Amino acid sequence: MIREFFYLQKSDRKVILTLLVIIVIALGVIFFVGGEQGGADAPGQPAHSGNPKHPAFSSYTKKRTELFPFDPNTADSTQLLRLGLQDWQVRNIYKYRAAGGIYRQKSDFARLYGLTVKQYRELEPYIRISDDYLPASTLLKRERRSEKSKMSDSVPSHGSALQNPHYSEKIHAGETIVLNTADTTALKTIPGIGPYYARKIVQYGQRLGGYVNVDQLDEIENFPSEAKSFLVVRNAHPQKLNLNKLSLNELKRHPYINFFMARAITDYRRLHGPLHSLNDLRLSRDFPQEVITRLEPYVEF
């Protein structure tokens, strides 16, 4: 009965066999083509999103561009990437700076390879070139300004003093002013110090976190050294930098720590753990003994 039930004629067997072959081929095409489409991403979808067969790929997230003031001579890689620059552009900036290149004016940054006109126009208002990297010709303007300040410091006659309500009588030899507590008004009473240097003294003291020695005033450009005899430092309590907690950007804000020194500190913490003293950095070429001695009053661990 079973043989009779499944018995088919030869022509019917050929038809059925042909259909089976067609079905197998169709299923094979659907399997391979469908698998490739499943592995590919639909338009607008992240590559290999949620596909465990591709662990080496992750969802692509477009970088968010942020605009903020930056100095191309000192900005680190994190800041440059946040500005929308590509990895290879950041590497080119580092190579340029390592070779001694300096961005002296905003237009110098436009020479960065791959930077478009649109990008430069967006970044140009936020470029800030530090005074340390400006052309040396700007010193002439400062010297003229300094000469004017010194001229204003000369003691006027009694009549002119009455006519000038801003005139401050100068202190005499043997009199002193406490450097860390003096404001610009008090500093202008020192012979040789006018509004320009009085402002510079206060600003540099704020950057340092307080003076520990009168000789630190020599670090101010063209400072009149004869004025130091009228200044004293008493009970110095400078603001301390915790070298184990501050980031690279926070460290290099101090006048005594440049980018390479800040990077050496952060690299040491990453590789060896917290610092216990500045002597831990003595093997770094960025920390000779004179640098360590100068920094000691301003750091803590």
Side-chain angles (χ1 to χ4, degrees), residues 62-114:
K62 185 178 180 181
K63 293 181 179 178
R64 180 181 177 184
T65 301
E66 301 178 37
L67 297 177
F68 52 86
F70 73 101
D71 187 340
N73 291 299
T74 57
D76 60 20
S77 58
T78 303
Q79 293 174 312
L80 295 171
L81 291 172
R82 285 170 54 201
L83 290 166
L85 299 178
Q86 300 298 319
D87 295 348
W88 53 271
Q89 290 178 311
V90 174
R91 287 194 294 271
N92 287 340
I93 293 174
Y94 270 70
K95 290 179 181 177
Y96 178 74
R97 298 193 313 208
I102 296 175
Y103 297 95
R104 301 185 184 277
Q105 52 190 358
K106 293 183 177 181
S107 58
D108 291 345
F109 192 70
R111 297 200 298 265
L112 177 63
Y113 181 76

Side-chain angles (χ1 to χ4, degrees), residues 19-34:
L19 289 176
L20 289 174
V21 171
I22 293 174
I23 291 172
V24 170
I25 293 174
L27 290 174
V29 171
I30 292 173
F31 176 81
F32 288 107
V33 175

Side-chain angles (χ1 to χ4, degrees), residues 31 49 56 72 113 122 127 129 132 134 143 157 184 198 233 236 243 245 249 259 280 292 294 296:
F31 176 81
S49 176
Y113 181 76
E122 291 176 347
I127 299 175
I129 305 296
D132 295 336
L134 292 177
E143 290 176 356
S157 63
T184 55
V233 174
L243 298 189
K245 293 183 179 179
N249 286 332
F259 169 79
D280 293 340
I292 291 177
R294 186 171 63 168
E296 280 180 339

Side-chain angles (χ1 to χ4, degrees), residues 214-244:
V214 174
D215 290 333
Q216 289 176 287
L217 293 172
D218 292 329
E219 297 165 10
I220 298 175
E221 187 177 16
N222 297 325
F223 184 82
S225 58
E226 62 274 9
K228 293 192 295 181
S229 61
F230 296 93
L231 292 161
V232 294
V233 174
R234 294 175 183 165
N235 301 321
H237 297 288
Q239 184 177 355
K240 302 284 187 177
L241 302 174
N242 192 318
L243 298 189
N244 288 321

Side-chain angles (χ1 to χ4, degrees), residues 48-201:
H48 301 290
S49 176
N51 190 344
K53 295 182 179 180
H54 302 279
F57 294 86
S58 59
S59 299
Y60 171 78
T61 302
K62 185 178 180 181
K63 293 181 179 178
R64 180 181 177 184
T65 301
E66 301 178 37
L67 297 177
F68 52 86
F70 73 101
D71 187 340
N73 291 299
T74 57
D76 60 20
S77 58
T78 303
Q79 293 174 312
L80 295 171
L81 291 172
R82 285 170 54 201
L83 290 166
L85 299 178
Q86 300 298 319
D87 295 348
W88 53 271
Q89 290 178 311
V90 174
R91 287 194 294 271
N92 287 340
I93 293 174
Y94 270 70
K95 290 179 181 177
Y96 178 74
R97 298 193 313 208
I102 296 175
Y103 297 95
R104 301 185 184 277
Q105 52 190 358
K106 293 183 177 181
S107 58
D108 291 345
F109 192 70
R111 297 200 298 265
L112 177 63
Y113 181 76
L115 191 69
T116 65
V117 173
K118 179 182 178 182
Q119 286 178 307
Y120 176 73
R121 286 176 177 172
E122 291 176 347
L123 294 174
E124 191 269 341
Y126 298 90
I127 299 175
R128 304 285 188 271
I129 305 296
S130 171
D131 291 346
D132 295 336
Y133 300 98
L134 292 177
S137 59
T138 58
L139 291 175
L140 296 175
K141 297 180 181 179
R142 294 181 182 178
E143 290 176 356
R144 293 171 185 170
R145 193 161 53 237
S146 176
E147 291 175 359
K148 291 180 180 178
S149 298
K150 291 179 180 179
M151 291 177 62
S152 67
D153 289 338
S154 59
V155 179
S157 63
H158 179 67
S160 61
L162 293 175
Q163 295 173 0
N164 185 5
H166 300 289
Y167 166 71
S168 299
E169 184 178 357
K170 298 294 182 177
I171 61 177
H172 304 287
E175 297 179 313
T176 57
I177 294 175
V178 179
L179 181 56
N180 283 321
T181 58
D183 58 12
T184 55
T185 302
L187 292 170
K188 285 188 290 186
T189 64
I190 299 174
I193 301 297
Y196 173 76
Y197 281 119
R199 186 169 61 253
K200 285 292 184 181
I201 292 170

